[in-house]
Amino acid sequence: QVHVVESGGGLVQAGGSLSLACAVSGRALIDYAIVGWLRQAPGLDGEVVATMSHSRYYADSVVGRFTISRDNALNMVYLQMNKVKPEDTAVYYCVVRTADCSAYNCRLREDYDYWGQGTQVTVSS
């Protein structure tokens, strides 16, 4: 049984930083060709924030501010969020998939093998 659990969300002021973490259990993280973070804000379509496979992908809206990383030894995926903006407010989901996939083709949580319950990030202005 695979479990994906996000943590680290919360309330942060605009311009501040937040670190999200994702613990993957039940299968070695190294088995997943691609890991990533998606976000869902109320009333808006879901968005691929960042993915990491043989290369890293970032949404235009977070380039230069967010950094995705993974630690296969610890089965952890991270998202470092710097210079956050109110428009970053959303529920953030960690996703993993055994087969590689582009951010264009894998834009929904359902396009991935597993995802967590999400962690709320709220950025105040």
Side-chain angles (χ1 to χ4, degrees):
Q1 185 80 14
V2 175
H3 292 282
V4 178
V5 180
E6 303 95 340
S7 62
L11 176 64
V12 60
Q13 285 190 329
S17 297
L18 205 60
S19 297
L20 303 185
C22 169
V24 181
S25 62
R27 185 171 179 176
L29 186 65
I30 198 170
D31 288 346
Y32 298 103
I34 184 168
V35 300
W37 292 89
L38 278 62
R39 67 186 179 187
Q40 179 75 56
L44 299 177
D45 292 337
E47 178 184 26
V48 177
V49 177
T51 62
M52 182 173 178
S53 55
H54 59 280
S55 62
R56 288 178 173 86
Y57 163 86
Y58 295 98
D60 289 343
S61 58
V62 308
V63 167
R65 301 188 298 119
F66 291 10
T67 302
I68 186 173
S69 61
R70 65 191 288 178
D71 188 326
N72 290 332
L74 296 178
N75 287 337
M76 297 290 293
V77 184
Y78 305 98
L79 184 68
Q80 178 64 40
M81 307 169 62
N82 297 327
K83 300 178 182 178
V84 296
K85 304 175 180 179
E87 49 264 43
D88 294 324
T89 295
V91 177
Y92 284 71
Y93 298 92
C94 177
V95 294
V96 297
R97 179 181 159 107
T98 52
D100 201 357
C101 189
S102 70
Y104 177 80
N105 290 320
C106 289
R107 292 175 284 181
L108 305 175
R109 279 177 287 166
E110 293 75 16
D111 294 325
Y112 294 83
D113 295 336
Y114 300 100
W115 56 90
Q117 292 298 307
T119 185
Q120 175 70 47
V121 172
T122 303
V123 182
S124 63
S125 57

